[in-house]
């Protein structure tokens, strides 16, 4: 009897995280579909989509457009207007256990255009206490955008 209980606990320990992972992907899939439909409303068809905590980003390489949501508003920029992309981070010093520690406060993708710089918020500590992998994803999208800029000019 005790071995059955022990085996049941082990199965729950193994299957529990897998179920959470699969259910989390369903939420992401729904967010991606919602983003695709709002992009389709503006005649855009994303080749690649990225999701952040509050925002989404996509590239339509056929039309040469980068587009993203910011506060549920879809912004689209022609890749030929962007001269470069970089990741901007801001930190604050906090005392944790009597030691000064740098804490990531904000992450943004900065798109440099001829007229102005467009900032796309990726992570804000005031809205979400845990950054997750947003910083790594921001660096990934920096590379994607810069490569798309190069490809659109050649």
């Amino acid at each position: 009897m005790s071995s059955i209980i022990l085996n049941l606990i082990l199965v729950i320990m193994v299957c529990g995280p897998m179920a959470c992972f699969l259910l989390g992907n369903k939420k992401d899939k729904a967010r991606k579909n919602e983003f695709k439909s709002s992009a389709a409303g503006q005649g855009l068809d994303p080749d690649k989509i990225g999701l952040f905590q509050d925002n989404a980003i996509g590239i339509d390489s056929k039309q040469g457009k980068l587009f993203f949501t910011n506060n549920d508003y879809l912004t689209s920029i022609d890749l030929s207007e962007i001269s470069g992309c970089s990741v901007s981070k801001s930190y604050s010093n906090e005392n944790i256990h009597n030691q000064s520690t740098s804490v990531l406060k904000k992450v943004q993708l900065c798109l440099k255009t001829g007229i102005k710089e467009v900032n796309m918020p990726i992570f804000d500590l005031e809205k979400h206490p845990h950054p997750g992998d947003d910083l790594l994803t921001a660096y990934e999208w920096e590379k994607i955008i810069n490569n798309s800029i190069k490809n659109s000019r050649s």
Side-chain angles (χ1 to χ4, degrees):
M1 180 68 171
S2 64
S3 66
I4 293 173
I5 294 172
L6 182 62
N7 286 335
L8 185 62
I9 290 172
L10 288 173
V11 167
I12 291 171
M13 288 176 59
V14 170
C15 293
M18 292 173 62
C20 290
F21 177 74
L22 293 174
L23 292 175
N25 284 343
K26 287 182 181 179
K27 286 182 184 178
D28 287 350
K29 190 172 183 177
R31 284 183 60 205
K32 281 184 180 183
N33 287 337
E34 182 181 331
F35 181 66
K36 279 183 180 181
S37 66
S38 64
Q42 291 192 11
L44 300 168
D45 182 26
D47 304 333
K48 188 163 185 77
I49 293 176
L51 298 176
F52 302 105
Q53 290 181 353
D54 284 334
N55 302 321
I57 187 170
I59 289 186
D60 183 344
S61 58
K62 292 175 188 168
Q63 294 187 34
K65 299 261 185 191
L66 171 74
F67 50 98
F68 59 91
T69 56
N70 187 3
N71 297 326
D72 295 327
Y73 179 75
L74 188 69
T75 303
S76 138
I77 302 173
D78 198 328
L79 285 171
S80 64
E81 295 176 11
I82 303 171
S83 60
C85 176
S86 62
V87 175
S88 168
K89 306 171 294 234
S90 64
Y91 294 90
S92 70
N93 288 328
E94 309 241 344
N95 263 343
I96 300 174
H97 303 293
N98 297 325
Q99 288 186 334
S100 181
T101 304
S102 290
V103 176
L104 183 64
K105 284 188 75 166
K106 289 186 180 184
V107 177
Q108 296 181 335
L109 277 177
C110 301
L111 307 171
K112 295 166 190 71
T113 66
I115 302 168
K116 61 181 178 176
E117 188 171 281
V118 177
N119 294 320
M120 180 191 162
I122 304 296
F123 168 73
D124 189 347
L125 184 64
E126 293 176 8
K127 293 181 180 178
H128 298 280
H130 305 291
D133 64 347
D134 287 337
L135 181 59
L136 296 174
T137 308
Y139 280 123
E140 178 185 335
W141 272 93
E142 175 190 29
K143 289 178 186 176
I144 291 169
I145 294 168
N146 284 327
N147 285 336
S148 295
I149 293 168
K150 287 178 189 175
N151 292 338
S152 71
R153 293 188 177 144
S154 53

